[in-house]
Amino acid sequence: MDATALWQRYQKWLYFHEGIGLYLDVSRMRFDDAFVERLQPKFEQAFADMAELEQGAIANPDENRMVGHYWLRNPDLAPTPELTQEIVSTIEQIEVFAEKVHTGAIHPPKAPRFTDIISIGIGGSALGPQFVAAALAPDFPPLAIHFIDNTDPAGIDRVLTQVRNRLSSTLVLVISKSGGTPEPRNGMAEVKKAYAGHNLDFANYAIAITMPGSKLDEQAKSEGWLARFPMFDWVGGRTSEFSAVGLVPAALQGIDIRAMLEGAKEMDDATRVPDIKNNPAALLALSWYYAGNGKGEKDMVVLPYKDSLLLFSRYLQQLVMESLGKEKDKTGNIVHQGIAVYGNKGSTDQHAYVQQLREGVPNFFATFIEVLEDRQNPSPEIEPGITSGDYLSGFLQGTRQALYENHRDSVTVTIPQVNSRTVGALIALYDRAVGLYASLININAYHQPGVEAGKKAAAEILELQKQVVEVLRKEKTPLTLEEVAQKIGATEKIESIYLILRHLHANGRGITLQGNLGQPSSLKFSIGG
């Protein structure tokens, strides 16, 4: 396509949202009008599906749950007055609590103010708050946030070491829908021990963000924790940023949560429009469908050209991959759907993997995130008439052009600046794009059976570990792996038994081994000397 035709195509397909100042350019996706026409019936169904979802249809049949994250930013949409009131009052409680913490009206026993936050969560209970913190937290926030988002002992130690001199002024958020998820439960147990080790009563520092009546909620209530905020069963982890999960840590950091919610609400309004060309989420879903032939045949490479948006690709990884990565469609057919997402940031990527994007395997489409404002103050010139920001913009435009010339398609999302409204809008835009695309390919975006399977398998390994240790405790002489497996009736799990014992031995957990480490079958295991 020559430059004139490309410019005409750009103007034809450019979407602009005046209120938010957001542009969406899909002109570098090579679909034609006939392709859009063929997808029209699927989109009509997708728009109808989204309307039903917002009205309270059961969207997660596995758990008989509604999916209501759209109500979080527009409570009037909730299907009952009780739900509307619950959402409104939760936001008000969060704002009142954050204000009291900031003024010192709520303070720790041994300090006039809280200075830090340890946020303990996993998956959506960590990725949303982490992305928002990186994007929006002020340089000198009223409370500095630290995340424990794994059950990695060294990672937990690192966070506790960072706040070791300020533990007595550090709030702890424990974020878990059920209270039984192992990673946040483990993090809480370790942090609680650290507080006890400093003679601090954990309850004076702890906040539970959980389902009312959950195991965690009951614990927080009985121990007299500082505060409890609700999670709702109709909000999934990956879409929970506008619930207490994301709003509590954001408000405590001094981030404008009302502006975030307003930006999301404005974008929701725009993405309800039942017209592909005038709906930015529909344009994204159309582009994804075109790029991957409706089967996820190409990866989505997310390239935000702004340091503060570095974690957006990680946030989208969960939102897109957990929502769309499904073995079966809604009618039970094996389809193996999904879109793989990865990305870092521009222009770092120029020196990392853009070489492959331009000349390597054409198994992707790119998503550029452009921010028009370079910085809040005027930029000095690096050379006559040129600033650092001009270089960043030039690299984005140059990479987009270089990819297109080599038949690599791309989408560009442009926002005026990184602020609470635009970040809220970005999250809402991709929320809806995922929902629409899921409808186009007839899969359920709101359940995650594969995640549950992984949790179940992990629980089985831990149960096996208890049996292995029990067998070795009872034995007077060292046992081979085969002998251990036979004694617990699990000869088919011999590899797992080996990996369990190797891990216990490496961590000084009382397992002694003899034999050739490179030949597992030669090893003999015992407990103690």
Side-chain angles (χ1 to χ4, degrees):
M1 192 177 287
D2 66 28
T4 302
L6 202 53
W7 170 235
Q8 293 301 324
R9 180 173 172 80
Y10 176 83
Q11 294 179 82
K12 175 181 176 179
W13 286 101
L14 181 66
Y15 173 87
F16 176 62
H17 190 292
E18 189 172 2
I20 299 168
L22 178 143
Y23 299 81
L24 175 62
D25 163 32
V26 297
S27 65
R28 266 50 174 186
M29 305 298 294
R30 288 174 168 80
F31 56 79
D32 57 20
D33 290 349
F35 174 80
V36 180
E37 193 61 37
R38 283 197 304 276
L39 274 190
Q40 186 64 40
K42 284 181 181 287
F43 267 104
E44 286 169 9
Q45 183 60 52
F47 292 136
D49 289 347
M50 293 305 296
E52 279 187 30
L53 181 87
E54 288 196 332
Q55 286 161 17
I58 297 299
N60 185 343
D62 291 5
E63 301 172 61
N64 195 36
R65 284 202 329 231
M66 300 181 292
V67 172
H69 50 274
Y70 295 104
W71 313 332
L72 294 170
R73 47 261 201 171
N74 189 349
D76 291 338
L77 290 177
T80 69
E82 292 77 20
L83 282 179
T84 298
Q85 184 52 41
E86 205 171 0
I87 297 164
V88 170
S89 62
T90 298
I91 295 168
E92 289 170 354
Q93 287 165 28
I94 290 167
E95 289 179 320
V96 168
F97 180 78
E99 175 69 15
K100 286 182 175 176
V101 169
H102 293 160
T103 60
I106 293 176
H107 63 87
K110 298 185 179 181
R113 291 274 201 287
F114 283 106
T115 58
D116 293 77
I117 306 162
I118 295 175
S119 182
I120 303 170
I122 190 76
S125 296
L127 286 165
Q130 284 171 326
F131 163 54
V132 166
L136 298 176
D139 292 335
F140 301 100
L143 287 88
I145 196 162
H146 315 267
F147 291 94
I148 292 176
D149 64 351
N150 202 356
T151 186
D152 173 12
I156 294 169
D157 284 350
R158 180 175 296 141
V159 170
L160 289 171
T161 299
Q162 286 169 351
V163 299
R164 68 187 182 280
N165 297 326
R166 300 185 304 282
L167 204 63
S168 63
S169 61
T170 297
L171 271 175
V172 181
L173 309 181
V174 184
I175 310 173
S176 174
K177 187 175 263 190
S178 66
T181 306
E183 295 92 341
R185 185 199 63 202
N186 297 355
M188 179 186 72
E190 291 222 16
V191 170
K192 200 172 180 183
K193 277 189 178 169
Y195 276 74
H198 285 76
N199 294 316
L200 301 171
D201 182 356
F202 184 68
N204 292 324
Y205 303 84
I207 298 168
I209 301 173
T210 186
M211 284 259 295
S214 73
K215 189 186 301 183
L216 176 59
D217 189 50
E218 293 303 323
Q219 178 181 353
K221 201 188 302 181
S222 67
E223 293 179 4
W225 286 19
L226 197 56
R228 297 172 7 250
F229 294 98
M231 291 172 82
F232 308 119
D233 72 342
W234 37 266
V235 176
R238 56 192 173 278
T239 54
S240 64
E241 178 53 31
F242 298 123
S243 72
V245 168
L247 297 183
V248 171
L252 288 169
Q253 291 170 88
I255 294 167
D256 186 345
I257 62 172
R258 290 280 176 180
M260 269 195 351
L261 291 165
E262 186 55 39
K265 180 177 180 289
E266 278 193 78
M267 182 52 68
D268 286 342
D269 291 342
T271 58
R272 269 187 212 105
V273 175
D275 173 13
I276 298 171
K277 278 191 77 170
N278 292 302
N279 180 327
L283 288 170
L284 281 180
L286 173 80
S287 300
W288 299 355
Y289 195 99
Y290 171 76
N293 198 25
K295 298 172 185 173
E297 291 172 359
K298 291 193 175 180
D299 302 342
M300 185 192 308
V301 183
V302 181
L303 308 174
Y305 275 66
K306 200 52 125 185
D307 287 359
S308 61
L309 297 180
L310 167 65
L311 296 184
F312 193 46
S313 57
R314 280 182 60 193
Y315 176 78
L316 289 181
Q317 257 180 352
Q318 185 192 22
L319 177 66
V320 173
M321 294 175 74
E322 193 168 8
S323 298
L324 302 180
K326 302 293 159 65
E327 180 181 32
K328 296 177 181 176
D329 67 13
K330 285 182 178 176
T331 48
N333 301 311
I334 303 287
V335 290
H336 295 297
Q337 276 287 2
I339 300 176
V341 179
Y342 64 93
N344 185 19
K345 66 178 181 185
S347 66
T348 301
D349 298 302
Q350 317 293 132
H351 305 275
Y353 53 73
V354 164
Q355 169 65 31
Q356 175 166 317
L357 297 188
R358 168 133 168 92
E359 298 185 5
V361 188
N363 61 346
F364 72 94
F365 64 98
T367 298
F368 295 100
I369 310 291
E370 177 184 27
V371 180
L372 292 178
E373 181 184 83
D374 290 339
R375 55 159 57 103
Q376 293 195 336
N377 299 312
S379 288
E381 293 185 355
I382 301 302
E383 53 194 72
I386 302 293
T387 67
S388 298
D390 296 339
Y391 266 101
L392 191 65
S393 178
F395 281 131
L396 188 157
Q397 291 185 51
T399 304
R400 173 175 170 270
Q401 181 63 21
L403 292 182
Y404 184 77
E405 286 171 357
N406 238 21
H407 302 281
R408 271 72 167 162
D409 288 349
S410 69
V411 167
T412 303
V413 180
T414 302
I415 55 175
Q417 60 179 192
V418 178
N419 61 37
S420 294
R421 279 184 74 241
T422 57
V423 166
L426 278 177
I427 291 171
L429 172 61
Y430 278 87
D431 274 353
R432 184 84 71 179
V434 163
L436 290 172
Y437 180 82
S439 183
L440 295 181
I441 61 173
N442 194 37
I443 58 107
N444 185 345
Y446 305 108
H447 68 158
Q448 50 281 338
V451 176
E452 301 311 314
K455 289 179 182 175
K456 186 180 173 196
E460 288 171 359
I461 291 293
L462 294 172
E463 184 55 39
L464 182 63
Q465 177 174 311
K466 291 175 185 174
Q467 295 173 27
V468 168
V469 171
E470 186 59 29
V471 162
L472 291 179
R473 278 195 205 289
K474 291 177 179 173
E475 290 297 320
K476 303 294 183 204
T477 57
L479 299 178
T480 65
L481 288 168
E482 288 82 357
E483 288 168 341
V484 174
Q486 285 167 2
K487 284 183 180 292
I488 59 176
T491 52
E492 78 286 0
K493 295 180 179 175
I494 195 163
E495 183 176 318
S496 293
I497 292 169
Y498 164 66
L499 296 174
I500 287 167
L501 287 168
R502 186 177 69 178
H503 175 252
L504 294 174
H505 173 71
N507 285 280
R509 304 277 291 282
I511 301 294
T512 301
L513 61 81
Q514 307 159 5
N516 184 339
L517 294 175
Q519 294 180 345
S521 294
S522 74
L523 296 173
K524 289 195 170 186
F525 297 86
S526 59
I527 285 192

